[in-house]
Amino acid sequence: MHYFKYKKSELYAEDVPVRKIAEKVGTPLYIYSEKTLLRHLQSYQQAFNGYPSTICFALKANSNLAVLRLLAKNGCGADVVSGGELYLAKKAGIPSKKIVYAGVGKTDEEIAAALKARILMFNVESSDELKAIDRVAGKLKVKAPIALRVNPDIDPKTHPYISTGLKKSKFGIPIENALEYYRLARKLNNVEVLGIHKHIGSQITTIKPFIDALKRVILLAHNLREQGIEIWHLDIGGGLGISYKDEEPPLPEDLSRAVLPLLEEGGFNLILEPGRSIAGNAGILVTKVLYLKKNPEKEFVVVDAGMNDLLRPSLYEAFHDVRPVIKNSRKKVLSDIVGPICESGDFLAKDRMINRASQGDLLAVMSAGAYAFTMSSNYNSRPRVAEVLVKGREFFVVKDRESHKDLVRGMKVPKHLT
Ligand SMILES: *Cc1c(COP(=O)(O)O)cnc(C)c1O
């Protein structure tokens, strides 16, 4: 569900015509809808209301400060995977006690920053990392709250690049060796074992992998308790899919209906880390048609947004629906929508039957609120685009478009070259 709808023949972001925002801010640009973000957050809060739980938004999906602030003000926590994300979460006012920290490559500096911030817990991915956290915590004379990220060896049946819970994955520790790792953790003086973490992948469109993985994790929790290792936080990660095309992924309430009965009387605090399912359909990328090209096989619509602005189609062959900002009744033609980057892999959409485009048309690339701007780069020395947040009839630029000056920020030419 989202609030990017047509009124008559014109696409609106909530109550603002998309065309109007594009005229004011220029293209390409990202537009996010407050109402959609809140609706998605609230659907999690309502689904798990009544069970002790913390919703920790995965910042890597969308880390715009205004978006984070909106979520923070509405009770949301954060799942961070770097010192930079920790900084953003704090800056947005997310309480430390609602911040969890995952990732296979935490540095000493990042660990120290998280300890000083007194986050809820580290989701630890290896025994080396466990020892590093123990060492850094010892130096700071604090106890590090930790969970071990286990890899339950469950196939989430999603794209291999966003599948994280299989044996061959770099993430987590194999669940069958988990007991060993927990025993090691218990021996360390400066860590306090609080939980178990799992996250098996992203854009998961059925409930079964969640349940299969959770059952293994609950079994582990009970085994640990028998060994006197008390597990309080059960962090079940993120991963719920969204509808890009015609997927019908489970909703948070479907997840809670399946998950909560398994937890009964466990006395756990449940942690969820949704990213895509909160932000994905709450954003669009608006781009302008620059040129039309024809070759004998098909037509190309060259637009002003490229793979540096939205990488998902190039990286995962991901599908994003592309819609005209102003509907027209031109003939439909088979088209590729491509960007200006000098790479054959630079496309936003392939083989789409769309109304023949015309120079200057605005197109909306849908479902671009997650893993979109956060993956953007300056490749081909293109300034990163602006981001706008819409609230009802109002809209706010929440990140300025970069300038050419921004492209050389921090660069220095050594003296012998001047
Ligand atoms: C990426 C990630 C998430 C968020 O996944 P979504 O599919 O966007 O919900 C949650 N937890 C961890 C550890 C992640 O790496």
Side-chain angles (χ1 to χ4, degrees):
M1 240 323 269
H2 60 76
Y3 296 96
F4 296 98
K5 299 279 176 237
Y6 286 96
K7 292 186 186 167
K8 299 215 173 99
S9 59
E10 185 161 3
L11 186 67
Y12 277 64
E14 300 191 14
D15 301 317
V16 190
V18 167
R19 174 189 45 84
K20 205 173 128 189
I21 305 175
E23 279 168 4
K24 190 85 185 277
V25 181
T27 58
L29 89 150
Y30 278 97
I31 302 177
Y32 309 124
S33 149
E34 265 203 39
K35 202 168 157 185
T36 312
L37 287 160
L38 282 183
R39 183 193 165 99
H40 292 163
L41 173 61
Q42 283 158 3
S43 74
Y44 274 97
Q45 289 168 332
Q46 279 155 17
F48 291 91
N49 181 22
Y51 195 91
S53 51
T54 314
I55 315 289
C56 295
F57 176 66
L59 258 67
K60 72 182 194 288
N62 188 318
S63 52
N64 182 281
L65 198 56
V67 168
L68 298 181
R69 182 72 195 136
L70 173 73
L71 297 175
K73 281 185 88 162
N74 286 276
C76 194
D79 164 43
V80 304
V81 293
S82 71
E85 286 191 353
L86 174 64
Y87 173 82
L88 279 163
K90 293 298 299 166
K91 188 122 184 137
I94 294 175
S96 293
K97 281 297 159 237
K98 290 186 183 174
I99 299 178
V100 290
Y101 185 0
V104 296
K106 303 177 186 83
T107 65
D108 281 11
E109 293 75 19
E110 290 174 316
I111 292 167
L115 286 169
K116 284 179 190 153
R118 302 195 170 277
I119 61 163
L120 179 61
M121 73 183 183
F122 291 87
N123 289 326
V124 180
E125 310 236 10
S126 64
S127 53
D128 276 358
E129 183 194 329
L130 195 54
K131 290 171 202 158
I133 291 177
D134 180 58
R135 176 168 45 73
V136 177
K139 256 192 227 157
L140 294 175
K141 301 193 168 40
V142 293
K143 269 211 168 209
I146 65 125
L148 288 174
R149 176 172 183 173
V150 298
N151 183 334
D153 196 27
I154 295 287
D155 187 353
K157 306 230 162 24
T158 182
H159 191 284
Y161 287 8
I162 50 176
S163 167
T164 55
L166 281 166
K167 265 192 183 150
K168 60 185 178 192
S169 154
K170 74 171 177 181
F171 296 100
I173 55 170
I175 196 161
E176 63 265 28
N177 308 337
L179 219 49
E180 243 171 80
Y181 284 77
Y182 273 96
R183 286 200 191 109
L184 167 67
R186 189 166 52 174
K187 283 198 205 116
L188 300 173
N189 285 326
N190 310 302
V191 306
E192 183 182 12
V193 178
L194 289 182
I196 307 179
H197 174 241
K198 68 131 182 102
H199 170 74
I200 55 173
S202 197
Q203 185 55 14
I204 302 170
T205 51
T206 59
I207 212 87
K208 192 166 180 297
F210 286 101
I211 300 314
D212 292 349
L214 183 60
K215 281 183 179 159
R216 292 190 183 179
V217 165
I218 291 174
L219 199 62
L220 173 62
H222 289 309
N223 284 343
L224 289 170
R225 282 176 171 175
E226 275 168 23
Q227 308 265 328
I229 301 173
E230 200 47 46
I231 294 302
W232 166 234
H233 298 299
L234 264 196
D235 185 339
I236 65 169
L240 269 192
I242 63 169
S243 179
Y244 285 100
K245 192 179 185 182
D246 47 17
E247 303 93 328
E248 289 180 4
L251 299 171
E253 68 226 48
D254 301 317
L255 187 65
S256 77
R257 212 174 297 129
V259 161
L260 293 185
L262 300 175
L263 302 180
E264 241 183 326
E265 292 172 36
F268 300 113
N269 176 54
L270 190 65
I271 299 173
L272 296 114
E273 303 172 337
R276 190 188 310 272
S277 49
I278 286 184
N281 277 325
I284 62 173
L285 170 64
V286 182
T287 182
K288 190 169 72 186
V289 175
L290 297 176
Y291 304 108
L292 304 168
K293 284 184 73 163
K294 231 183 206 174
N295 78 12
E297 297 276 310
K298 59 178 148 193
E299 302 205 4
F300 293 96
V301 180
V302 183
V303 297
D304 65 357
M307 65 188 284
N308 72 300
D309 302 309
L310 180 65
L311 185 60
R312 299 189 68 259
S314 307
L315 185 62
Y316 312 127
E317 295 187 325
F319 179 97
H320 284 267
D321 197 10
V322 179
R323 297 188 193 162
V325 168
I326 311 285
K327 278 190 191 166
N328 63 64
S329 51
R330 294 178 216 137
K331 196 177 138 213
K332 294 224 171 186
V333 286
L334 190 67
S335 313
D336 279 8
I337 297 155
V338 302
I341 301 270
C342 302
E343 295 277 351
S344 296
D346 176 31
F347 60 90
L348 298 177
K350 275 196 166 165
D351 296 321
R352 300 291 171 83
M353 285 302 288
I354 58 167
N355 297 107
R356 171 165 281 130
S358 173
Q359 279 184 301
D361 280 0
L362 293 174
L363 300 175
V365 183
M366 307 304 287
S367 315
Y371 306 104
F373 186 89
T374 50
M375 283 191 178
S376 68
S377 78
N378 290 119
Y379 188 40
N380 278 208
S381 291
R382 289 163 48 81
R384 261 175 283 226
V385 307
E387 293 174 285
V388 162
L389 184 65
V390 170
K391 175 181 167 52
R393 294 165 185 282
E394 294 178 287
F395 69 89
F396 309 90
V397 175
V398 291
K399 186 165 193 299
D400 289 332
R401 186 179 305 284
E402 287 179 351
S403 66
H404 286 159
K405 259 203 175 132
D406 290 322
L407 295 176
V408 292
R409 190 158 44 115
M411 287 187 188
K412 292 184 189 81
V413 177
K415 211 162 188 180
H416 72 279
L417 295 175
T418 56

